Amino acid sequence: MKIAIIGASGFVGEKIVDEALSRNHIVEAIFRRNPIVKRNNLTLHKMTIFDEEIFENVIKDVDLIISAYNPGYYHVDQKNRYMDAYKVIFSLCKKLNKRIIVVIGATSLIQYDGEFVKNGLVYPKPWLKALEGPDLVYDTYKDDKSLNVTFVSPAVELIDGVRTTHYAYGTNHLVYDKNFESRVSVQDLAHAILNEAENPKYTGSRFTIAYQE
Ligand SMILES: NC(=O)c1ccc[n+]([C@@H]2O[C@H](COP(=O)([O-])OP(=O)(O)OC[C@H]3O[C@@H](n4cnc5c(N)ncnc54)[C@H](OP(=O)(O)O)[C@@H]3O)[C@@H](O)[C@H]2O)c1
């Protein structure tokens, strides 16, 4: 497949690029400034998605878009910038009739007591502020039937670890391990995203993954 990856130089995006290339996909990497190592089957597009003409040109021929966009956790207007980005991304997806997989956060998942994670005690308050953008995008677009979208929420703790390929799936509820923790590596997140890319099971909905052992 030819896959455009938005946020390809980020914490999540760079692992999605690695996983996609390891499966012999052709990757169009979209990023702003952080360096990305050049490899076969990888084209680098150092650009902003807010330049819509350039953005449209990059994605017009791809089979799939995967977005790990983030304006930066310390952006002064994180929530609105995140929302503005997805207005651009989703309107082009509709115009070009593209399928997209979007990485959001865990805050809109439901925890063990029925509360949303964002209303629980999992994240410190300043972090929650920086996570309002993904929640707003998810709430706004989750029922938009004119979009071919799959949302992905990682576990509460997303760690730079190893690719185990042993994790459990959920939809709207957090998945916990035997110590009652919700964790997954970013490498396994990338693995699950590429599985979904190749074999869609959650189109029009959301999935989460975490370790159960
Ligand atoms: N990090 C975590 O622990 C974690 C946990 C759960 C969920 N998530 C979610 O995963 C998603 C990605 O987060 P992340 O931590 O990977 O973010 P990140 O490390 O800050 O990466 C964001 C990526 O977006 C790119 N970008 C920002 N503005 C852009 C623009 N205008 N045009 C093109 N590219 C642009 C950045 O490019 P440059 O850096 O090159 O400027 C970078 O590649 C977010 O939705 C986040 O909520 C993250």
Side-chain angles (χ1 to χ4, degrees):
M1 264 192 286
K2 192 173 185 182
I3 306 176
I5 300 177
I6 303 170
S9 61
F11 177 64
V12 175
E14 71 166 0
K15 297 299 184 293
I16 300 173
V17 172
D18 293 347
E19 183 70 28
L21 291 175
S22 78
R23 298 183 187 209
N24 294 320
H25 294 295
I26 295 164
V27 173
E28 304 292 323
I30 298 170
F31 65 110
R32 283 178 314 179
R33 47 184 171 234
N34 280 332
I36 300 181
V37 179
K38 289 184 181 160
R39 279 156 288 173
N40 285 343
N41 288 341
L42 175 66
T43 306
L44 303 183
H45 302 277
K46 196 170 180 175
M47 51 167 276
T48 172
I49 54 161
F50 291 100
D51 191 330
E52 290 185 43
E53 213 178 306
I54 294 177
F55 184 30
E56 180 170 347
N57 248 325
V58 171
I59 62 171
K60 69 176 189 301
D61 294 328
V62 302
D63 302 300
L64 171 71
I65 299 160
I66 300 175
S67 179
Y69 166 84
N70 191 351
Y73 291 100
Y74 301 103
H75 191 284
V76 283
D77 196 14
Q78 205 271 355
K79 179 177 169 183
N80 291 321
R81 190 66 169 170
Y82 197 101
M83 186 67 182
D84 288 346
Y86 276 99
K87 277 185 194 149
V88 171
I89 294 168
F90 286 154
S91 80
L92 279 178
C93 284
K94 288 181 188 181
K95 180 178 171 191
L96 302 171
N97 202 15
K98 298 290 176 191
R99 176 160 81 100
I100 182 165
I101 298 174
V102 175
V103 184
I104 52 170
T107 39
S108 55
L109 291 169
I110 300 162
Q111 62 180 31
Y112 63 95
D113 59 358
E115 273 289 352
F116 284 116
V117 169
K118 64 184 151 202
N119 297 333
L121 298 170
V122 175
Y123 294 112
K125 272 198 176 154
W127 289 22
L128 287 174
K129 191 81 200 144
L131 297 169
E132 285 177 344
D135 285 357
L136 181 62
V137 164
Y138 179 66
D139 287 341
T140 307
Y141 291 100
K142 67 180 175 0
D143 298 319
D144 187 337
K145 300 293 175 226
S146 63
L147 258 181
N148 190 346
V149 61
T150 301
F151 289 99
V152 184
S153 287
V156 159
E157 231 185 299
L158 186 60
I159 48 177
D160 193 359
V162 291
R163 181 181 184 274
T164 70
T165 77
H166 297 296
Y167 45 80
Y169 279 83
T171 51
N172 292 319
H173 287 79
L174 265 190
V175 178
Y176 296 94
D177 65 16
K178 59 179 186 298
N179 298 321
F180 213 54
E181 287 174 352
S182 167
R183 309 171 75 235
V184 81
S185 75
V186 67
Q187 289 81 358
D188 277 332
L189 180 69
H191 180 264
I193 287 171
L194 264 294
N195 283 355
E196 177 66 17
E198 293 171 349
N199 210 339
K201 293 195 173 111
Y202 295 92
T203 304
S205 62
R206 178 251 294 271
F207 72 88
T208 182
I209 60 160
Y211 301 128
Q212 260 188 335
E213 309 207 335

